[in-house]
Amino acid sequence: MIGDWLDIGPVDQITPGTARTLPVLGGDEIAVFRTQANEFYALVNKCPHKQGPLSQGIVHGNVVACPLHNWNISLKTGEALGEDKGCVPTIPLRVDAGRIYLLRSAVVGQRAA
Amino acid sequence: MNAPTTVMEEDRSAAVKERLVVIGNGMAGCRAVEEILARDPARFDVTIFGAEPRVNYNRIMLSPVLAGEKTFDDIVINGDDWYTDNAITLVAGDPVVSIDRATKMVVAQSGRVEPYDRLLIATGSDPFIIPVPGKDLAGVVTFRDLDDVDKMLTAAEKGGSAVVIGGGLLGLEAAHGLSLRGMKVTVVHLMPTLMERQLDEAAGYLLKTELERRGQTIITGGDTAEIVGAGGHVSAVRLKDGREFAADIVVMAVGIRPGTTLAKAAGLEVERGIVVDDHMVTSDPAVMAVGECVQHRGNCYGLVAPLWDMCRALADHACEQPSGYEGSVTSTKLKVSGIDLFSAGDFSGGDGAEDIVMRDASRGLYKRVVVKDNKLVGAVLYGDTADGSWYFDLLRKGEDISAIREALIFGQAFASGGALLDPNAAVAALSDDAEICGCNGVTKGKVVATINAGACSLDAVRSTCKASASCGSCTGLVESLLALTLGGEVQSGPKTMCKCTSFGHDDVRRLILEKNLRAIPQIMQELHWTTPDGCSSCRPALNYYLLCAWPGEYEDDQKSRYVNERMHANIQKDGTYSVVPRMWGGLTNPKELRAIADVVEKYNAPMVKVTGGQRLDIFGIKKEDLPAVWADLNAAGMVSGHAYGKSLRTVKTCVGSEWCRFGTQDSTGLGVKLERMTWGSWMPHKFKIAVSGCPRNCAEATIKDFGVVCVDSGYELHVGGNGGIKVRATDFLCKVTTEDEAMEVCAAFIQLYREQAHYLERTAPWIERVGLDHVKSGLFDAPDTVKRLAAKFRFSQTFCQDDPWARRVAGEDADLHQHLAQVRPLQMETVS
């Protein structure tokens, strides 16, 4: 169990309504989000439109607005919402006893081929 | 209970009875026994071990006991006679200390050994104690059992101060009880929102306001550093930010964790809780577990409702009629008298989920239901929870609600009303003297008359009879009346701020002042926002409107800032930032140039460029390097250039009379003075100034938001220019004779723009929209307006002119610049 999940630290490192980043050596940076409703999500930190860093966008509900061109991206599925089309990979995440865990295989899976 | 039958059954089957030992005399253990007895009273010989020296009571009613609303006798579930009548052996006050699964025996603290055929573990949960210095001092209590309540009551008798650590359900109930008992109560909560697991931001805000009104001090975002003692007894609680709160008693109510010690020691499979299957059986077939100590399908429950379902499945299994437990949907009600609060299900929104929000500020009401795939998946109710059970029922049954969707938010009475399903039909059914707008006392008859008299839009109705012009909660009703009265001829009203509200920018700005609104959640509540926390359009706008309305008082909300303003730099397409230090009036010197050159080399900035506003722009800086770059620039005396902000950008100048043979005035000097006056100010949009020393206009002052063209006899002031997508030359505003007058008019014009323009509206479209005459009369109609507006601007500036870069260098908001950690795939380790 522990081996499958990567502990990335306590939940209170992330203020509700914001995101922080997790660079992966040789892979894509991951953005870890915490919504106002205290849901946690992890996505590759690249907008499907022009690769904007989603971690820097405004979080509203379960959506982040990309800082470059204001595409709205669902934190749950990584899909672009509204008229826009595109999808960014999500990384399974769970919170246990106040700590955030990412699915290890998915973190590795984000490594550049 | 059916005592005679029980006795007979016992007699008949005494020889073959299995021995059932229950560890835990709490709600779960006893309920499980009740369920088993109801199915087969003769099956087991029951022994219950309890750690507390008393009979089984309703733990969730401890809050009313603390509050003085109930006594212990009121909350007893099973008295002594229940144990006697059912021939149950109760071993109270003698906790089990070990389980020997090999010999099927439990050992109690007193040394008592009890063999079993079946064992039921119902050890509940333990309060979580945060590991801070002073946690073991006398006077630090948890809120879990009757002994804790007794300790709190003893402390309350002496009066004084109490600090409750934890603003969740339990903490708030403890705080309420202690407050009613006369103590001065402070609640310290780590999260920004009270009860964040059950409530969204809006409902949490309402709750906090109400508790503060009742005299409690609520500290959100408060991280406890230490519990301070004096003579071995608690005396205060100190937070990490240095604040200290006196305390004669400290209640630790930060959470619970499943009581798994015994099970773990006995070698049963334990993760967060004791792992059980759908029949509440642990990894040992002879051992069952139930209640808050278990983990079922990955979930641990800390509420009472799931117990009932678990106990049913457990009893079915124990009596060989297996049914199975499939997990529970839970709901929460806060037991604080006078505060109605209900939450159930998933209200975090998300894909395919649609929020329906209703707010009624005058009644302090907030209702939010979340619908997904035509099913209700979550509900938060504040102020009126009468429909809580109805919503919860819909939620649990997963009923298709598409037929009642439109009326769902209005509650059961409305949604079940048949003919009332169509909101228009409901409004049509109202009598003429029914009140539509409670704020302004406007009846349906009056609204209809207003519409018939020619008001064909919401805006026209608002301005004519004032209906829906104040809090807006009746907007839907007025729109229905427009539709009913005019048929298809309703004109759409003014553009609303965004899809979250029916109000336009002007209405929102006016209402912030009229209703004295001081925080974003408060605006959303009072003005009936239809989304829980707004969107990326309205949040930054509201943040600016509040900053403008309440200078020095409103605290800037970083979460509502666009990236550039949050990072104090300009994001580029590759996610790096560009940095523009301020050069007053476009002037620089060798020290500044050297510092810039050094930064470029030190951080390998791939490009440096001269901007249109006479500054140097350093490109390609990573977010984590920004504070270091700023520190180097600060050291050379440079501050933020605000090239990233909806704020004063630059004051562009020409060399003027000091050098130029055509110059008429000291345009460079005036430019520097204007920049010193205006830098750091937040505006509806970016704002550019230029000062040209003669009508040749080398500083291009006539395409700036505020332009000064110097002439021999003084200064011509121009406004509303723009060199962007749509080029617009300035309008001539006025001519003044001194530098001081030019500065005064500049400050007044900026303040008028700050107070009146819509967010993200440059001066050019603003003036096109309202007309130059409106701006002129706003400045010059009354003799002292310029002076008054300029004074307001200067006052606001006293809070804005500290360098945001220097604050970041000093460590403010360091999180914004740091990664969480780094993943190195080879080792798969993280380093902080």
Side-chain angles (χ1 to χ4, degrees):
Chain A
M1 189 82 176
I2 295 302
D4 299 337
W5 293 89
L6 188 61
D7 182 344
I8 59 164
V11 293
D12 57 15
Q13 314 174 91
I14 311 178
T15 311
T18 71
R20 293 190 65 189
T21 44
L22 188 71
V24 178
L25 226 63
D28 280 335
E29 186 166 284
I30 292 169
V32 186
F33 288 87
R34 175 175 188 171
T35 69
Q36 296 274 11
N38 283 297
E39 296 269 312
F40 290 81
Y41 299 100
L43 279 70
V44 167
N45 192 20
K46 273 185 182 175
C47 182
H49 177 215
K50 300 269 185 185
Q51 287 74 54
L54 295 173
S55 60
Q56 304 293 73
I58 290 179
V59 179
H60 54 102
N62 270 349
V63 174
V64 62
C66 176
L68 292 194
H69 307 96
N70 210 32
W71 275 34
N72 278 312
I73 307 296
S74 160
L75 297 177
K76 274 196 171 167
T77 62
E79 300 262 5
L81 302 175
E83 298 297 298
D84 300 320
K85 293 281 169 276
C87 187
V88 60
T90 58
I91 293 94
L93 174 154
R94 72 183 180 95
V95 173
D96 192 0
R99 296 188 75 84
I100 306 169
Y101 297 84
L102 297 184
L103 188 65
R104 193 178 288 260
S105 57
V107 174
V108 178
Q110 301 313 325
R111 292 170 69 181
Chain B
M1 278 287 156
N2 196 344
T5 316
T6 308
V7 174
M8 277 173 58
E9 296 261 340
E10 273 178 1
D11 288 343
R12 194 188 53 195
S13 55
V16 293
K17 270 190 169 183
E18 286 184 89
R19 289 164 301 185
L20 172 66
V21 170
V22 181
I23 306 176
N25 186 35
M27 299 177 71
C30 289
R31 176 65 173 222
V33 171
E34 280 181 1
E35 290 277 353
I36 290 170
L37 291 174
R39 281 163 184 73
D40 189 352
R43 181 176 286 267
F44 294 107
D45 202 2
V46 182
T47 303
I48 302 178
F49 282 85
E52 289 182 66
R54 53 182 72 89
V55 294
N56 167 238
Y57 61 92
N58 187 341
R59 200 180 294 280
I60 57 173
M61 298 308 277
L62 283 174
S63 296
V65 172
L66 177 63
E69 289 156 0
K70 290 205 185 308
T71 66
F72 177 70
D73 287 341
D74 293 334
I75 68 167
V76 168
I77 301 177
N78 294 308
D80 289 321
D81 49 348
W82 177 75
Y83 298 91
T84 330
D85 291 349
N86 292 294
I88 296 166
T89 310
L90 171 64
V91 187
D94 189 10
V96 170
V97 292
S98 71
I99 302 168
D100 185 342
R101 293 198 287 127
T103 57
K104 288 196 166 180
M105 285 194 296
V106 300
V107 182
Q109 199 168 47
S110 64
R112 176 179 181 142
V113 174
E114 195 72 38
Y116 65 81
D117 299 304
R118 297 285 200 95
L119 181 66
L120 171 57
I121 303 178
T123 42
S125 57
D126 303 315
F128 184 71
I129 308 287
I130 50 171
V132 290
K135 68 182 167 58
D136 299 319
L137 285 167
V140 179
V141 301
T142 56
F143 186 19
R144 189 64 198 157
D145 58 30
L146 193 67
D147 296 334
D148 295 328
V149 172
D150 286 339
K151 283 181 207 158
M152 283 192 250
L153 292 179
T154 310
E157 271 169 25
K158 296 185 210 127
S161 307
V163 172
V164 176
I165 302 176
L169 198 63
L170 214 53
L172 293 181
E173 292 183 1
H176 172 67
L178 291 169
S179 178
L180 282 186
R181 297 278 181 177
M183 296 196 87
K184 187 182 171 305
V185 177
T186 302
V187 177
V188 175
H189 190 50
L190 184 62
M191 296 296 150
T193 307
L194 291 175
M195 290 179 67
E196 75 285 347
R197 286 171 62 179
Q198 290 88 17
L199 299 184
D200 57 11
E201 190 186 18
Y205 171 80
L206 287 171
L207 177 61
K208 178 166 183 264
T209 311
E210 173 60 22
L211 293 174
E212 285 169 341
R213 199 187 60 73
R214 292 174 173 216
Q216 296 182 24
T217 305
I218 309 287
I219 308 295
T220 48
D223 198 353
T224 305
E226 183 184 356
I227 298 172
V228 185
H233 193 277
V234 61
S235 67
V237 170
R238 182 155 62 234
L239 306 189
K240 284 191 180 156
D241 62 16
R243 283 182 289 178
E244 199 168 301
F245 300 95
D248 300 300
I249 184 169
V250 172
V251 182
M252 190 90 79
V254 292
I256 52 171
R257 54 177 164 205
T260 58
T261 319
L262 271 178
K264 206 179 269 178
L268 293 169
E269 187 186 352
V270 172
E271 286 176 8
R272 271 184 303 154
I274 304 167
V275 177
V276 293
D277 65 13
D278 286 358
H279 306 287
M280 315 313 293
V281 177
T282 67
S283 53
D284 177 344
V287 182
M288 303 171 288
V290 73
E292 292 179 350
C293 61
V294 308
Q295 176 180 329
H296 171 260
R297 298 193 186 177
N299 290 319
C300 295
Y301 296 95
L303 294 166
V304 72
L307 291 185
W308 311 149
D309 293 331
M310 287 184 190
C311 289
R312 206 171 303 126
L314 178 138
D316 285 343
H317 165 77
C319 299
E320 284 161 27
Q321 307 147 358
S323 56
Y325 169 67
E326 298 185 328
S328 298
V329 184
T330 55
S331 70
T332 310
K333 250 185 161 163
L334 183 69
K335 289 175 292 301
V336 170
S337 48
I339 296 182
D340 291 322
L341 191 58
F342 172 89
S343 116
D346 174 12
F347 50 87
S348 57
D351 299 306
E354 187 194 344
D355 279 309
I356 307 174
V357 176
M358 184 174 93
R359 307 182 191 236
D360 184 338
S362 56
R363 288 196 291 149
L365 209 72
Y366 172 78
K367 294 173 86 175
R368 175 175 169 207
V369 298
V370 186
V371 174
K372 189 171 183 177
D373 301 330
N374 287 324
K375 284 180 186 145
L376 185 71
V377 296
V380 182
L381 309 177
Y382 185 95
D384 176 6
T385 55
D387 284 309
S389 50
W390 181 63
Y391 287 126
F392 190 52
D393 199 44
L394 287 176
L395 200 152
R396 266 194 317 192
K397 289 181 181 157
E399 280 181 19
D400 188 315
I401 51 88
S402 48
I404 54 169
R405 187 191 189 93
E406 296 303 315
L408 188 65
I409 191 74
F410 300 109
Q412 182 174 22
F414 198 84
S416 317
L420 299 181
L421 280 183
D422 173 3
N424 281 355
V427 177
L430 292 173
S431 63
D432 271 357
D433 56 1
E435 191 171 79
I436 298 293
C437 173
C439 298
N440 298 304
V442 189
T443 61
K444 177 187 166 189
K446 192 166 174 197
V447 175
V448 172
T450 305
I451 296 168
N452 283 329
C456 296
S457 67
L458 181 62
D459 194 37
V461 171
R462 278 180 179 165
S463 60
T464 315
C465 72
K466 296 278 175 277
S468 120
S470 292
C471 80
S473 62
C474 60
T475 303
L477 293 175
V478 174
E479 283 171 342
S480 288
L481 286 174
L482 279 162
L484 286 168
T485 313
L486 299 173
E489 296 163 43
V490 185
Q491 293 168 5
S492 57
K495 236 176 131 278
T496 61
M497 252 180 87
C498 63
K499 62 179 172 30
C500 305
T501 174
S502 63
F503 284 111
H505 287 267
D506 291 329
D507 289 322
V508 171
R509 300 204 72 168
R510 175 176 57 81
L511 289 164
I512 286 173
L513 296 171
E514 273 181 25
K515 296 166 85 78
N516 192 28
L517 305 179
R518 300 209 169 230
I520 290 175
Q522 192 188 12
I523 295 177
M524 291 180 176
Q525 171 63 18
E526 296 289 326
L527 304 187
H528 306 92
W529 242 242
T530 58
T531 49
D533 54 3
C535 68
S536 57
S537 299
C538 60
R539 290 191 73 102
L542 294 179
N543 190 52
Y544 166 71
Y545 291 155
L546 287 166
L547 273 173
C548 179
W550 314 113
E553 294 173 34
Y554 174 67
E555 195 180 331
D556 204 338
D557 179 24
Q558 293 294 317
K559 302 188 297 295
S560 301
R561 286 282 189 185
Y562 289 122
V563 56
N564 287 358
E565 295 183 346
R566 197 182 329 117
M567 302 305 287
H568 293 286
N570 294 57
I571 195 164
Q572 301 299 324
K573 60 184 279 188
D574 64 351
T576 66
Y577 292 83
S578 81
V579 171
V580 181
R582 195 164 289 286
M583 292 176 175
W584 308 96
L587 297 180
T588 185
N589 58 45
K591 187 181 174 195
E592 291 181 352
L593 290 171
R594 271 191 203 102
I596 290 171
D598 287 345
V599 161
V600 171
E601 285 186 347
K602 186 167 163 188
Y603 296 94
N604 285 319
M607 185 166 91
V608 198
K609 189 184 178 305
V610 179
T611 72
Q614 302 181 333
R615 305 297 143 100
L616 286 170
D617 197 348
I618 308 162
F619 284 84
I621 304 293
K622 295 191 191 73
K623 75 174 178 193
E624 49 275 33
D625 288 335
L626 285 170
V629 167
W630 295 332
D632 289 356
L633 296 171
N634 277 167
M638 284 181 282
V639 298
S640 162
H642 290 77
Y644 49 80
K646 315 296 177 205
S647 58
L648 184 272
R649 290 282 174 90
T650 56
V651 179
K652 185 173 180 176
T653 64
C654 69
V655 289
S657 58
E658 209 179 334
W659 295 93
C660 177
R661 62 203 161 109
F662 300 113
T664 60
Q665 311 282 355
D666 178 15
S667 52
T668 327
L670 176 58
V672 171
K673 283 180 199 158
L674 283 169
E675 190 157 350
R676 292 270 180 200
M677 176 179 77
T678 53
W679 80 282
S681 56
W682 295 112
M683 309 256 200
H685 209 309
K686 59 185 170 186
F687 195 97
K688 299 178 179 181
I689 297 178
V691 186
S692 284
C694 79
R696 286 168 189 78
N697 194 13
C698 295
E700 298 163 336
T702 50
I703 51 162
K704 296 290 182 262
D705 294 281
F706 186 84
V708 182
V709 176
C710 302
V711 291
D712 279 327
S713 55
Y715 306 84
E716 291 175 0
L717 307 183
H718 301 257
V719 293
N722 193 330
I725 296 173
K726 192 175 165 202
V727 181
R728 183 182 194 272
T730 45
D731 293 312
F732 174 69
L733 185 67
C734 65
K735 186 179 162 192
V736 295
T737 50
T738 67
E739 274 194 349
D740 285 349
E741 288 172 290
M743 306 240 323
E744 196 78 348
V745 172
C746 176
F749 173 76
I750 288 176
Q751 187 62 16
L752 191 72
Y753 168 62
R754 295 181 75 230
E755 290 180 8
Q756 295 198 350
H758 299 170
Y759 191 64
L760 297 188
E761 187 174 47
R762 290 286 298 269
T763 57
W766 171 56
I767 289 175
E768 296 271 316
R769 179 168 64 81
V770 301
L772 181 66
D773 287 344
H774 172 88
V775 174
K776 280 185 170 170
S777 72
L779 287 170
F780 305 124
D781 272 6
D784 62 341
T785 320
V786 165
K787 200 173 154 201
R788 188 180 57 77
L789 284 169
K792 276 180 94 175
F793 178 66
R794 288 178 207 271
F795 173 73
S796 156
Q797 284 296 85
T798 59
F799 304 102
C800 296
Q801 294 197 322
D802 59 335
D803 179 25
W805 288 359
R807 294 204 306 271
R808 289 284 164 92
V809 170
E812 185 185 272
D813 292 323
D815 282 0
L816 293 177
H817 299 280
Q818 289 163 1
H819 295 300
L820 271 178
Q822 192 179 37
V823 180
R824 291 173 296 175
L826 282 180
Q827 299 106 316
M828 285 314 289
E829 282 175 354
T830 62
V831 286
S832 293

